[in-house]
Amino acid sequence: MTMLGHDDPWRQWREALRGERMHHAWLLAGKRGLGKMSFAEAAARELCAEPGVPQPRGQHPDIHVLTHLPKDDKEERKREDGKPYEVKRNITVAQIRAMQQRLTTRPTLGSRRAVIVDPADDLEKSASNALLKSLEEPPAGTFFLLVAHRPAKLLPTIRSRCRVLRFPALAEPELTQWLAAHAPEADATTRAAAVRAASGSPGAALDFVERDLGPLHALMTRIVQHGDDGFDLRGQLAEAVGARPDRERITAILDLARSVLAAEMAGEGRRDWAALVDAHADLVRLAGQAPTYNFDAGLLVMEIGTLLASAAPASERADA
């Protein structure tokens, strides 16, 4: 899938490839849904390609991808069967050490290989420390591409060893046009809501449509604008989310809640900024905890609803 907003990252990457000394570690930074992983895979193929050396169309032996593994053996069997599966919360130190063991050998096809970590912000602490050792003393011909939605979560020592490629969010007109081409089945109202909620992220906009987040967006907007004195809207929100949302859906819901607050802050007519800012900060903290804390899904959704209600105009939040 073609992503907009990649022109400058490609320019920087290809200028570096043509240079005399290619930097060994790259940090692909930007919000979720901007196509950073797609860029990383394509860039890694360009890096590993050499004149006269045939390159495979499918999996490349010199491109190693570290990402979330299946949660357990049951989920591993689902992956093997091509079914949706749940993943572990973090990228583990065992994965990093296994990768480091592979790096003791030479690349298979040419003189270069690439290691992609997606997302690097989900590395365990011990995994981050182990990766840092490879970044400090990279094996010859090995290059690292770290995909990061929240670069501030990375160790400062990791960030300092990387050259940063920033991926910009799209303007609304660009995103509207892109979404019309990639989700033609969605009606205009749904696409407009998706564009507002996505805050410039094509992946988030498409996720909004595919996960049918329109009803959740409408409920969240009502809560933040009018409050929820009787908890009725929060009950509807929990019902709409469902009893057992998967990790990806929870992440999408948290991102959606933050975008609803951001849209409210960007609107006119609101003067109680403190409540909006506080609620947004609490949602950011909650989003950071969700991948590692064992939250009950129902209670988590109610907490999201309560934070949204706390940001409603003061006259509307008698219960918050």
Side-chain angles (χ1 to χ4, degrees), residues 67-88 95:
T67 190
H68 296 280
L69 293 174
K71 183 173 70 172
D72 51 33
D73 291 343
K74 178 182 176 182
E75 300 304 315
E76 174 62 37
R77 288 193 293 272
K78 289 181 182 179
R79 181 173 73 165
E80 292 173 354
D81 294 338
K83 300 177 181 178
Y85 60 94
E86 293 187 53
V87 298
K88 293 182 178 179
Q95 290 175 261

Side-chain angles (χ1 to χ4, degrees), residues 42-186:
R45 284 186 175 274
E46 287 196 2
L47 174 80
C48 294
E50 295 183 10
V53 180
Q55 299 294 306
R57 291 184 177 273
Q59 185 173 353
H60 197 295
D62 293 324
I63 299 176
H64 310 295
V65 178
L66 302 181
T67 190
H68 296 280
L69 293 174
K71 183 173 70 172
D72 51 33
D73 291 343
K74 178 182 176 182
E75 300 304 315
E76 174 62 37
R77 288 193 293 272
K78 289 181 182 179
R79 181 173 73 165
E80 292 173 354
D81 294 338
K83 300 177 181 178
Y85 60 94
E86 293 187 53
V87 298
K88 293 182 178 179
R89 297 181 184 276
N90 296 103
I91 298 171
T92 66
V93 65
Q95 290 175 261
I96 298 297
R97 288 173 177 162
M99 174 270 293
Q100 290 170 329
Q101 184 63 35
R102 295 182 68 177
L103 298 186
T104 59
T105 62
R106 294 177 58 83
T108 302
L109 298 181
S111 60
R112 290 175 168 177
R113 63 185 154 205
V115 176
I116 301 173
V117 183
D118 175 40
D121 8 357
D122 282 353
L123 286 163
E124 292 177 343
K125 183 176 180 180
S126 53
S128 293
N129 290 327
L131 177 63
L132 179 59
K133 294 180 180 178
S134 292
L135 296 180
E136 290 173 337
E137 300 178 7
T142 298
F143 298 83
F144 296 86
L145 295 93
L146 310 184
V147 176
H149 312 312
R150 292 169 290 174
K153 287 189 64 180
L154 297 176
L155 292 175
T157 44
I158 286 181
R159 296 199 304 269
S160 69
R161 282 164 174 76
C162 296
R163 176 171 170 178
V164 179
L165 285 180
R166 299 195 182 279
F167 290 73
L170 301 186
E172 283 199 6
E174 289 181 296
L175 185 52
T176 298
Q177 185 177 7
W178 184 92
L179 189 60
H182 290 85
E185 73 287 353

Side-chain angles (χ1 to χ4, degrees), residues 31 172 192-200 204-205 208 217 255-256 258-260:
K31 67 191 313 177
E172 283 199 6
V195 168
R196 290 194 302 272
S199 301
F208 184 102
H217 181 264
D255 288 343
L256 181 61
R258 285 186 289 173
S259 74
V260 167

Side-chain angles (χ1 to χ4, degrees), residues 237-246 249-250 296-299 301:
L237 184 66
E239 184 177 350
V241 168
R244 299 184 64 183
D246 59 23
R249 186 164 174 79
I250 286 293
D296 175 88
L299 293 177
V301 172

Side-chain angles (χ1 to χ4, degrees), residues 189-243:
T189 301
T190 298
R191 289 202 299 267
V195 168
R196 290 194 302 272
S199 301
S201 167
L206 194 60
D207 200 41
F208 184 102
V209 172
E210 293 178 344
R211 291 184 180 272
D212 192 25
L213 296 180
L216 297 184
H217 181 264
L219 282 168
M220 289 180 180
T221 301
R222 286 177 62 190
I223 293 172
V224 80
Q225 290 180 349
H226 305 293
D228 185 25
D229 189 23
F231 279 77
D232 294 337
L233 294 177
R234 272 167 275 191
Q236 293 178 42
L237 184 66
E239 184 177 350
V241 168

